[in-house]
Amino acid sequence: MELFMRIDRRLLFAIGIAAVSAAALGYAAARIFPLSQLFNSAHATVQNTVVQSAEADADTDAKYTCPMHPDIVQDHPGTCPICGMTLVKLANGETTKHSDLVHVDIETQQRMGVRLEPAAVTDMHRVINTFATISQDESRTVSVNSKVEGWIKHWYVQGVGQTVHKGQVLYELYSPELQQRQREYLDLLTRRDAMQEKNKGMEMSGPNVAMMGSLAKERFRVRDRLLAADIPRDELELLEAGRRVQDVMPVRATQNGIVTATSAREGSYVNPMQQLLVYTDNSRVWAEVTVFPDQMSWLKNGDEIVLTSGLDNTTQLKSRINLSTLQIDAASRTAKLRLPLSNVGDAFLPGAYAKAVIKSGVHRTLSVPRDAVIRTGHGEFVVVSEGNGHFRSVPVAIGIEDENSVEIRSGLTVGASIAVNGQFLLDAASSLQAMQSRLAPNPKEAEHKADMGPAANALPISSAMPMPMSMPLRTSAHP
């Protein structure tokens, strides 16, 4: 019993000494290190540990992408395997959006035949492409009618289309009426010669002078009637010299031309009411240019028009528009401009067609080559080079057009480098890339489907198995 009591006293004494020592040490530490500093240090240590852990988690979840190829996404820094650009880090929660740029390296561009030209400000003309009909010049057309009654002794015109020359004999006419006129003229010539012979060497007195004047007037009147009957002057001079009536009188062409109509033959009886033939001089013709109503406001006096022959497609004539000849056709609701053409030869014959190109006044504007514009049902586009082999399809609003250029009203700036050859392949690549962008799933939707499991990819019953709108009815009896 005494032994246990002795051990308890030793244990209590040791505990007391430990307590006193701990109190002394705590008092000394409090004097040297304040208590608030110890708590702040411990809090900072814990906070740094949490931040470092969060940064480590963020670095683990960081994504890097290519600015030109957003479909390239990696979990570590590096370069794009397509274009070699340095990958950039995506911000927290940021998703990649597909770009409308297409990258084509230099070698591929050469194989595709891509050619670039800058958009520039040029002088353009509003161009009207239309057609013209060539017609005869009515003032150059000759209609041949016999001035007296008679019969055609010889007919030298073969038919329509024959070329005749000035002074050429068209036909020979036998006419008793014309013979009588010749006799009257010869009788007047005989009376004049007899009076001159009677008064030869004598001074003309009053009655003789009056008679000579009357004979001269009658002679000139009959002579004019012979000329009006289409008797050539050389034949009339031959009549005056020979004093002999000609039974058959030739009728000659008064100008060059081409026969367009004929209605007589050898032996035909003719009179002044009958038209024998028509010939016209095609060295001067009319071009009737057709213009639609919405194009009339574009025309101005003096605008240049170029006509290309529809017969050989090579001969061209240039002229100027004169709006005073403009006529409206109420039946066809079109306008017609008449242009005189001279010395056209055989390229612009009456009845033929010609291509007409009307160029309006100069208009200075931003333009691109016609081949650079891609025309679709959704509008017009051009392919713009962004440099370093990157291309973008840009919608544009176009204006007037000419043979080589198209006006750009909006969508481009001066100096923009555009593709004028191979742009269809580039635009196709851009469209394919845009389609891939629409088909690519959203990262958040992909994570949601992954959490839901295979059921997320299953189609709803209504879409997987569409119900028919109606069931067919069997009308025949069962066998």
Side-chain angles (χ1 to χ4, degrees):
M1 192 67 179
E2 292 180 1
L3 179 59
F4 286 107
M5 294 178 63
R6 192 180 300 156
I7 294 174
D8 289 338
R9 283 195 292 271
R10 292 178 181 176
L11 181 59
L12 292 173
F13 180 75
I15 293 174
I17 292 175
V20 172
S21 300
L25 293 174
Y27 177 76
R31 295 284 294 179
I32 299 173
F33 303 101
L35 185 60
S36 61
Q37 183 177 359
L38 291 176
F39 284 134
N40 291 337
S41 177
H43 178 71
T45 302
V46 173
Q47 186 175 5
N48 291 336
T49 303
V50 173
V51 170
Q52 292 176 359
S53 177
E55 291 179 352
D57 295 340
D59 292 338
T60 303
D61 298 335
K63 301 295 183 182
Y64 298 85
T65 185
C66 175
M68 295 298 178
H69 301 89
D71 52 335
I72 303 298
V73 180
Q74 297 181 3
D75 57 357
H76 56 83
T79 58
C80 176
I82 298 178
C83 62
M85 295 185 65
T86 303
L87 302 181
V88 296
K89 184 178 179 181
L90 292 174
N92 292 333
E94 182 180 359
T95 59
T96 60
K97 295 182 179 180
H98 206 283
S99 173
D100 57 353
L101 291 176
V102 176
H103 178 266
V104 181
D105 55 40
I106 300 299
E107 295 180 356
T108 305
Q109 292 183 37
Q110 294 178 352
R111 289 195 297 268
M112 294 169 60
V114 177
R115 183 167 56 88
L116 303 178
E117 286 189 13
V121 177
T122 59
D123 293 335
M124 294 189 62
H125 301 266
R126 187 187 293 273
V127 177
I128 301 176
N129 293 300
T130 181
F131 66 94
T133 304
I134 309 302
S135 60
Q136 299 175 356
D137 185 356
E138 295 83 356
S139 63
R140 306 291 295 176
T141 301
V142 177
S143 178
V144 179
N145 295 63
S146 177
K147 305 304 187 293
V148 293
E149 295 181 358
W151 288 265
I152 296 177
K153 188 68 173 179
H154 297 287
W155 183 257
Y156 297 103
V157 178
Q158 302 299 324
V160 175
Q162 178 181 344
T163 302
V164 297
H165 302 281
K166 183 178 180 179
Q168 176 182 340
V169 178
L170 301 176
Y171 64 95
E172 293 180 351
L173 179 66
Y174 171 79
S175 172
E177 180 181 353
L178 197 57
Q179 293 177 7
Q180 182 61 31
R181 292 183 185 181
Q182 296 181 62
R183 292 189 185 98
E184 292 178 1
Y185 185 65
L186 293 177
D187 182 57
L188 291 173
L189 291 177
T190 302
R191 292 173 59 186
R192 183 200 65 179
D193 294 342
M195 185 170 291
Q196 289 178 351
E197 184 66 25
K198 181 180 180 181
N199 297 323
K200 185 177 181 181
M202 298 176 58
E203 184 178 356
M204 298 288 292
S205 60
N208 293 332
V209 173
M211 186 176 295
M212 288 293 294
S214 176
L215 286 174
K217 290 181 180 179
E218 185 67 19
R219 181 173 60 86
F220 284 117
R221 184 183 65 83
V222 175
R223 188 174 187 274
D224 290 340
R225 291 184 63 190
L226 291 174
L227 291 175
D230 292 337
I231 294 180
R233 290 184 179 273
D234 58 345
E235 295 292 335
L236 191 57
E237 293 175 357
L238 182 62
L239 176 64
E240 294 174 352
R243 305 294 177 93
R244 182 173 178 273
V245 175
Q246 299 185 26
D247 295 336
V248 178
M249 188 64 65
V251 176
R252 292 188 173 93
T254 59
Q255 67 177 30
N256 298 331
I258 296 177
V259 177
T260 58
T262 178
S263 60
R265 297 291 183 273
E266 288 187 0
S268 300
Y269 172 78
V270 296
N271 57 58
M273 301 298 295
Q274 181 181 354
Q275 184 184 75
L276 303 182
L277 76 154
V278 178
Y279 62 97
T280 181
D281 183 8
N282 291 333
S283 62
R284 187 174 184 269
V285 296
W286 287 100
E288 297 183 352
V289 182
T290 301
V291 181
F292 293 97
D294 58 340
Q295 300 172 336
M296 294 175 56
S297 60
W298 303 350
L299 303 178
K300 294 181 180 179
N301 275 324
D303 286 348
E304 184 184 51
I305 179 171
V306 179
L307 298 174
T308 304
S309 172
L311 299 178
D312 56 11
N313 294 323
T314 56
T315 305
Q316 291 186 343
L317 288 178
K318 294 183 179 180
S319 183
R320 296 289 177 179
I321 288 179
N322 183 7
L323 294 180
S324 63
T325 63
L326 184 66
Q327 298 178 352
I328 306 297
D329 187 355
S332 61
R333 305 293 298 172
T334 58
K336 292 186 180 297
L337 282 169
R338 300 195 74 187
L339 303 174
L341 303 179
S342 301
N343 301 321
V344 296
D346 295 335
F348 296 90
L349 295 177
Y353 284 90
K355 299 177 183 177
V357 179
I358 304 174
K359 295 183 179 180
S360 63
V362 177
H363 178 58
R364 191 165 182 82
T365 182
L366 177 65
S367 64
V368 299
R370 289 175 61 96
D371 295 338
V373 180
I374 302 174
R375 305 172 191 267
T376 67
H378 304 286
E380 289 75 24
F381 298 84
V382 296
V383 177
V384 180
S385 173
E386 300 289 349
N388 297 327
H390 295 92
F391 297 89
R392 184 194 306 274
S393 182
V394 177
V396 294
I398 64 174
I400 64 175
E401 303 182 24
D402 59 16
E403 297 88 346
N404 302 315
S405 303
V406 178
E407 178 189 10
I408 301 298
R409 293 183 176 176
S410 63
L412 285 181
T413 58
V414 178
S417 183
I418 60 174
V420 297
N421 192 23
Q423 70 274 19
F424 291 97
L425 299 177
L426 297 174
D427 184 67
S430 177
S431 300
L432 180 61
Q433 185 166 325
M435 181 187 67
Q436 293 174 350
S437 173
R438 292 191 295 268
L439 296 177
N442 191 331
K444 293 183 178 180
E445 296 179 358
E447 293 178 359
H448 179 66
K449 290 184 179 180
D451 295 338
M452 294 180 62
N457 296 324
L459 291 174
I461 295 178
S462 59
S463 60
M465 299 178 62
M467 298 297 293
M469 296 299 295
S470 61
M471 296 296 293
L473 299 178
R474 183 184 297 272
T475 57
S476 60
H478 291 284

